Amino acid sequence: MSEKTTISVIKADIGSLAGHHTVHPDCMAAASRVLAEGKREGVIEDFYVTHVGDDLVLIMTHRKGKDNKDVHTLAWNAFKEATKVSKELGLYAAGQDLLSDAFSGNVRGLGPAAAEMEIVERPSEPIVIFAADKTEPGAFNLPLFRIFADPFNTAGLVIDPRLHIGFTFEVVDVFEDKGVHMNSPEEMYDILALIGTPSRYVIRRVFRKDDGRIAAVVAVERLNLIAGKYVGKDDPVMIVRAQSGFPAVGEILEPFAFPHMVAGWMRGSHFGPLMPVPVRDARPTRFDGPPRVIALGFQVKDAKLIGPSDLFDDPAFDKARQVANEVTDYIRRHGPFMPHRLDPSEMEYTTLPQVLEKLKDRFKPVKDLPEPKIKHSEMLSGTEEAHD
């Protein structure tokens, strides 16, 4: 069997210049130096450092398999060095996603989001790396369903014999830490019944059904469930394989032409449209948003990264960005009201519980609530009379 290549995409919020919208170049340079040293020492074969919003994204290739201690240690050290620079510059929320100083050899559960895929390289191995900011892992549910199960999006499901048999979806319940494998198209409606609640049921992996080969993987860590409080939304990353037995790059990108509504945005407490942007525009500033997603295309050859191509740097996605801005205008006018603000179950990990705690002793049974007393200064003056 051919030697396997592992693609590891690990991201973390290590601090931002002026609020929550971008990573300082010095922080990216610090992380790059750590990864370059790891490459020289043979820990990784290649790397690329980028950002989406205030999240530092490390893309690495290596031969060590998933959840490798050396690779995760390298990523952790890169984040720590970037955080050090962030603190020296006085950047906002420095090291926000690094929830523990007690690193045990794996970043999972410590704050950073990680998506890893181990593959036997095809002669030509195109992949697409997605990274999102100001949203949650379930934001990729709708695009993944359309990529791998919707023939109106992916023509190959109908006309390509290698795709026609369908795909297997691994759906996880992020609250119960349980998962299930479900097949499309035969279980399509059951899949939709789950993933239509993206705050709880998240597509973690997709496999080709006939041979079990991995097709896509998503980082599904939820920081609020790890930390027990609001520490920022989860800002997921995703790896998708393309072409030659998998959906074409164009089919993989097509769902993002519709800026669907996702949870996140300001303080992780609002719904907003997911806007596909080139990296240069991945700086969410309006109400700390709207949520952004980038897509980088690479070729993987002998565990080396060829590229990237900034796939959303295309005027064909201008209309999606225009629609996202129009939806932003509309939804923002709701202010603190639903459906712009998240539902109560999602607000449990924001600052809302602190407000409720302050008011808890003032809540009374409705039948016992007294009528408000009218103060003398508030009564009508002149010839008019004040009425109860």
Side-chain angles (χ1 to χ4, degrees):
M1 180 179 292
S2 301
E3 190 174 11
K4 292 185 177 181
T5 295
T6 303
I7 305 139
S8 298
V9 183
I10 305 179
K11 76 93 206 155
D13 181 349
I14 49 80
S16 171
L17 173 66
H20 283 291
H21 78 283
T22 193
V23 177
H24 195 282
D26 290 356
C27 296
M28 295 180 63
S32 295
R33 287 192 293 269
V34 174
L35 297 191
E37 182 62 26
K39 181 178 178 180
R40 284 192 293 269
E41 294 177 351
V43 178
I44 56 176
E45 297 293 322
D46 206 356
F47 70 91
Y48 186 82
V49 176
T50 188
H51 80 99
V52 56
D54 58 356
D55 292 317
L56 179 63
V57 183
L58 312 179
I59 303 170
M60 300 169 287
T61 52
H62 53 93
R63 303 287 195 183
K64 300 181 182 300
K66 296 181 294 183
D67 292 319
N68 178 263
K69 181 177 180 179
D70 293 339
V71 174
H72 281 234
T73 299
L74 183 67
W76 184 261
N77 290 340
F79 290 136
K80 295 292 283 188
E81 285 300 306
T83 296
K84 181 180 177 181
V85 173
S86 186
K87 290 179 178 178
E88 290 172 351
L89 296 174
L91 301 185
Y92 188 70
Q96 174 177 280
D97 283 1
L98 307 186
L99 303 182
S100 173
D101 291 327
F103 181 68
S104 59
N106 193 304
V107 300
R108 299 184 191 277
L110 298 181
E116 296 186 288
M117 177 185 288
E118 188 176 27
I119 62 172
V120 175
E121 291 181 24
R122 297 167 289 169
S124 179
E125 187 65 59
I127 63 170
V128 181
I129 305 293
F130 293 92
D133 185 35
K134 302 298 184 287
T135 187
E136 63 182 3
F140 288 135
N141 277 10
L142 186 151
L144 279 172
F145 179 82
R146 288 185 166 163
I147 293 166
F148 292 104
D150 183 0
F152 282 83
N153 178 88
T154 301
L157 294 168
V158 176
I159 63 177
D160 187 337
R162 294 168 296 181
L163 273 65
H164 191 79
I165 195 170
F167 291 85
T168 297
F169 289 79
E170 181 179 284
V171 181
V172 298
D173 180 339
V174 295
F175 285 83
E176 297 291 337
D177 197 27
K178 296 179 179 178
V180 60
H181 285 180
M182 306 176 73
N183 294 322
S184 176
E186 57 266 40
E187 295 182 288
M188 181 183 296
Y189 296 162
D190 293 334
I191 293 170
L192 286 170
L194 294 180
I195 67 173
T197 306
S199 61
R200 178 161 190 161
Y201 298 102
V202 180
I203 298 172
R204 179 171 175 258
R205 293 188 294 177
V206 181
F207 303 89
R208 203 159 58 188
K209 195 164 59 177
D210 61 344
D211 58 11
R213 290 190 179 183
I214 187 73
V217 60
V218 178
V220 299
E221 290 83 3
R222 289 202 50 166
L223 291 185
N224 54 16
L225 300 182
I226 296 170
K229 62 181 180 180
Y230 176 68
V231 289
K233 218 57 181 170
D234 312 290
D235 309 328
V237 290
M238 175 169 68
I239 309 168
V240 184
R241 299 175 79 181
Q243 311 290 156
S244 301
F246 298 102
V249 169
E251 292 169 329
I252 292 168
L253 299 178
E254 180 63 17
F256 295 92
F258 168 60
H260 64 292
M261 297 292 279
V262 299
W265 211 340
M266 173 64 73
R267 296 186 180 87
S269 303
H270 298 80
F271 283 108
L274 186 62
M275 180 186 286
V277 294
V279 175
R280 67 173 179 273
D281 292 331
R283 296 174 289 109
T285 59
R286 182 178 178 185
F287 200 58
D288 280 0
R292 307 293 165 96
V293 60
I294 62 170
L296 298 179
F298 292 91
Q299 294 290 144
V300 179
K301 182 63 175 178
D302 297 328
K304 297 294 190 296
L305 291 167
I306 314 301
S309 173
D310 193 343
L311 296 171
F312 287 144
D313 190 7
D314 180 350
F317 287 95
D318 284 350
K319 182 63 181 294
R321 293 185 273 269
Q322 177 187 342
V323 171
N325 279 322
E326 292 170 355
V327 172
T328 295
D329 285 340
Y330 173 81
I331 198 72
R332 276 268 57 235
R333 292 177 70 180
H334 288 77
F337 286 85
M338 295 172 63
H340 185 26
R341 199 181 79 176
L342 300 185
D343 65 79
S345 65
E346 282 289 282
M347 295 293 288
E348 290 177 4
Y349 294 95
T350 68
T351 55
L352 181 61
Q354 298 172 28
V355 177
L356 296 176
E357 177 67 22
K358 182 175 67 174
L359 296 175
K360 69 176 183 179
D361 294 333
R362 294 172 57 183
F363 275 88
K364 308 291 183 185
V366 174
K367 64 182 179 61
D368 296 333
L369 286 176
E371 293 292 329
K373 294 181 180 179
I374 300 178
K375 297 179 182 179
H376 181 74
S377 61
E378 295 174 349
M379 297 180 66
L380 298 174
S381 59
T383 58
E384 299 181 25
E385 296 181 357
H387 298 279
D388 290 337

